[in-house]
Amino acid sequence: MKNIILASTSSLFGEEYLSYLKTEVELLFQQTDEIIFVPYARPGGITHDEYTTKAASFFETIGIKVKGLHTFNDQKMAIQQAQGFFTGGGNTFLLVKQLHELGLMSELKKAVESGKPYLGTSAGSNIGGVNMQNTNDMPIVYPSDFSTMGLISFNINAHYLDPDSGLKHNGETRETRIKEFHVFNSTPVAGLREGSWIRVKDGKVTTEGSHSTRLFLQGREPVELEPGSAMDHLE
């Protein structure tokens, strides 16, 4: 069975990298001692090696070794032989482009669906959905395909923000953008606020974390799902 955490963010404001998820990550990877880090969404200004080092520094605190996927000559084989995976945030367009061009999207999907634990944050969570069409990122590169792993039957809008009446901002809200998506698409969208995540375990899909998740369905008003709510009805 799939064993997955798809989190809105890697770090909460004022906290260390992945610290708010530490207990959950320990449980997710409790039967592994080494995982592969997928750095292809890398934030601007750092290399794949630097990004991998950042991830490795956290996992060292829980006794797990990390190797960057980019360091393997045969990356498909590396995915097939890996114990587990972590895909970090950055730019979803870049991540999806790289995974498709390298022929790794389907390999990663097969590995995770076989039961190997997977942690995604931000862009790394976006690729757990049906496609990447609800990312907030700018299209700095052009992927050959918007489809992603489809580990869940809905899309994720990471870093979801509620409208702030105190801001003098005339642009579209996040909710407006998602409703625009639903004019042409029927895929459900989970607006994941920072501090929240989707958990897939033992055949169940739930919302978890410190905030409710805003669920958008085509032709219906959005609803709030409290932490622990089941999302199996979307499967």
Side-chain angles (χ1 to χ4, degrees), residues 134 136 157 160-163 171-183 189 191 193 214-216 220-224:
N134 295 112
N136 307 309
N157 178 249
Y160 179 79
L161 290 172
D162 295 289
E172 293 82 356
T173 64
R174 199 67 63 77
E175 181 167 322
T176 299
R177 291 298 194 195
I178 296 173
K179 287 182 176 179
E180 290 174 344
F181 168 79
H182 276 150
V183 172
V189 180
R193 299 179 176 93
R214 196 158 177 82
L215 177 65
F216 296 85
R220 295 169 60 181
E221 287 300 308
V223 296
E224 292 290 326

Side-chain angles (χ1 to χ4, degrees), residues 4 6 36 40 45 81 88 94 98 105 114 121 132 137 167 176 181-182 185 195 202:
I4 302 167
L6 302 174
I36 282 181
Y40 295 136
Q81 296 180 345
L94 179 60
Q98 289 284 94
M105 188 74 78
S114 74
T121 60
M132 59 161 288
D137 301 320
L167 290 179
T176 299
F181 168 79
H182 276 150
N185 304 273
D202 299 329

Side-chain angles (χ1 to χ4, degrees), residues 51-213:
Y51 199 10
T52 302
T53 297
K54 182 177 183 178
S57 295
F58 166 78
F59 278 93
E60 185 179 9
T61 68
I62 59 175
I64 295 176
K65 295 180 180 179
V66 172
K67 289 186 177 179
L69 183 57
H70 66 291
T71 64
F72 292 87
N73 291 326
D74 189 336
Q75 295 180 29
K76 291 184 179 181
M77 182 67 71
I79 288 174
Q80 293 167 7
Q81 296 180 345
Q83 297 178 40
F85 309 94
F86 170 36
T87 304
N91 186 281
T92 308
F93 286 88
L94 179 60
L95 173 61
V96 173
K97 182 177 188 290
Q98 289 284 94
L99 289 176
H100 278 309
E101 287 184 351
L102 295 170
L104 301 178
M105 188 74 78
S106 59
E107 288 295 332
L108 191 57
K109 173 184 173 68
K110 285 189 291 185
V112 178
E113 288 186 336
S114 74
K116 294 182 179 182
Y118 177 87
L119 169 65
T121 60
S122 191
S125 294
N126 288 341
I127 64 170
V130 177
N131 56 57
M132 59 161 288
Q133 289 178 252
N134 295 112
T135 179
N136 307 309
D137 301 320
M138 290 187 177
I140 60 174
V141 294
Y142 186 44
S144 60
D145 193 334
F146 286 162
S147 66
T148 47
M149 289 191 286
L151 302 175
I152 51 178
S153 63
F154 51 93
N155 281 350
I156 287 175
N157 178 249
H159 310 284
Y160 179 79
L161 290 172
D162 295 289
D164 185 346
S165 59
L167 290 179
K168 295 180 180 179
H169 172 66
N170 290 324
E172 293 82 356
T173 64
R174 199 67 63 77
E175 181 167 322
T176 299
R177 291 298 194 195
I178 296 173
K179 287 182 176 179
E180 290 174 344
F181 168 79
H182 276 150
V183 172
F184 301 99
N185 304 273
S186 60
T187 304
V189 180
L192 275 186
R193 299 179 176 93
E194 296 199 345
S196 299
W197 60 90
I198 301 297
R199 187 70 168 100
V200 183
K201 184 180 180 182
D202 299 329
K204 298 179 180 179
V205 183
T206 58
T207 62
E208 304 293 344
S210 56
H211 300 286
S212 61
T213 292

Side-chain angles (χ1 to χ4, degrees), residues 21-31 61-62 64:
L21 274 173
K22 186 172 183 178
T23 300
E24 299 299 324
V25 172
E26 287 180 303
L27 291 172
L28 177 69
F29 294 113
Q30 61 184 328
Q31 296 183 0
T61 68
I62 59 175
I64 295 176

